[in-house]
Amino acid sequence: MIFPIGDDNVKGGHYPFVSYTLLAINIVVFLLQLSQGDQQGQFIMEYGAIPAEVTQGQRVYTLITSMFLHGSVGHIVGNMLFLWIFADNIEAVIGSTRFLIFYLAGGLVAHAAHIYFNMDSQIPTVGASGAIAGVLGAYMIMFPQSQVKVLFLIFPFRVPALLFLGFWIFSQFQYGVGSLQIETAETDGIAYWAHIGGFVFGAVRGFSLRNEYIRSLKRGFREEDLVD
């Protein structure tokens, strides 16, 4: 199995306060979720986003609260790993306030994509995956040559962000298309269309953010300011 363990970081820019705060909040909420014990399922039903309810205008607040819930330890570890690796460069360039707005907007677009294919679903959607997929989409456009450090078994190596993230979204799209052949667009507990929707949003937004990044390079950043 291949998974990322680091990347090239932008030297200077804004401190990734929001990225680290989001990471901490997700962990705290997950611990709170675990503390519910036998009531954890009820907790998820209360704060997870249920498409059939949201489409009826009910409990719309869950579109936000669900972004901070996770279904398992593996779920949150994977999400927080990607958030920790890829979010800081974007926040360094666009600033903390704009990054928070971007992150939440990506999560909402991800919800919209998932709900579109699951309007009658009573299954609660949880996780930061959609919002983080938006981060990945923007990162691929803004920093395509950044080297992502990945680990295969015990062997570390580097690949360009364009290749790593391009392969990731390609695999999500394959699973998403495959899911349309069954009753729900959510398979194996994974909302693939939420990932796709968030990623597309991030990639589209990434083009304008990339232009801002280029202008910031001219004001002081340089491509070689990407450091380990």
Side-chain angles (χ1 to χ4, degrees), residues 126-168:
V126 299
S129 306
I132 294 172
V135 171
L136 302 184
Y139 190 104
M140 186 181 76
I141 300 301
M142 295 174 69
F143 311 105
Q145 301 304 318
S146 176
Q147 295 294 302
V148 179
K149 291 177 272 189
V150 300
L151 191 66
F152 175 65
L153 299 178
I154 61 172
F155 305 105
F157 60 97
R158 292 170 178 260
V159 295
L162 182 64
L163 179 61
F164 179 81
L165 296 175
F167 176 79
W168 183 86

Side-chain angles (χ1 to χ4, degrees), residues 172-202:
Q172 299 301 301
F173 186 77
Q174 279 190 311
Y175 286 122
V177 171
S179 73
L180 297 180
Q181 301 174 12
I182 58 179
E183 293 183 357
T184 174
E186 183 172 351
T187 59
D188 300 325
I190 301 175
Y192 291 109
W193 284 102
H195 297 176
I196 296 168
F199 191 94
V200 170
F201 165 80

Side-chain angles (χ1 to χ4, degrees), residues 8-179:
D8 294 337
N9 290 319
V10 170
K11 183 190 298 182
H14 300 271
Y15 181 78
F17 173 78
V18 169
S19 299
Y20 295 156
T21 299
L22 287 169
L23 193 152
I25 291 174
N26 274 277
I27 293 173
V28 169
V29 171
F30 186 67
L31 293 176
L32 175 62
Q33 180 182 321
L34 292 179
S35 73
Q36 302 299 307
D38 294 339
Q39 301 300 314
Q40 186 175 166
Q42 182 178 341
F43 186 81
I44 290 176
M45 291 296 293
E46 175 64 27
Y47 296 105
I50 299 175
E53 294 183 352
V54 173
T55 55
Q56 298 299 315
Q58 302 172 7
R59 301 195 315 123
V60 178
Y61 66 87
T62 59
L63 293 175
I64 298 296
T65 58
S66 61
M67 294 185 202
F68 298 92
L69 302 177
H70 289 86
S72 67
V73 172
H75 189 198
I76 189 171
V77 168
N79 277 346
M80 294 305 99
L81 177 64
F82 274 76
L83 179 64
W84 174 65
I85 291 173
F86 295 105
D88 55 350
N89 277 2
I90 298 175
E91 187 173 353
V93 173
I94 71 174
S96 297
T97 301
R98 293 179 65 202
F99 176 76
L100 177 60
I101 295 171
F102 165 78
Y103 179 88
L104 294 176
L108 292 176
V109 171
H111 271 305
H114 175 68
I115 291 173
Y116 179 81
F117 291 103
N118 294 270
M119 290 187 180
D120 299 322
S121 176
Q122 296 287 342
I123 301 174
T125 304
V126 299
S129 306
I132 294 172
V135 171
L136 302 184
Y139 190 104
M140 186 181 76
I141 300 301
M142 295 174 69
F143 311 105
Q145 301 304 318
S146 176
Q147 295 294 302
V148 179
K149 291 177 272 189
V150 300
L151 191 66
F152 175 65
L153 299 178
I154 61 172
F155 305 105
F157 60 97
R158 292 170 178 260
V159 295
L162 182 64
L163 179 61
F164 179 81
L165 296 175
F167 176 79
W168 183 86
I169 190 56
F170 176 74
S171 66
Q172 299 301 301
F173 186 77
Q174 279 190 311
Y175 286 122
V177 171
S179 73

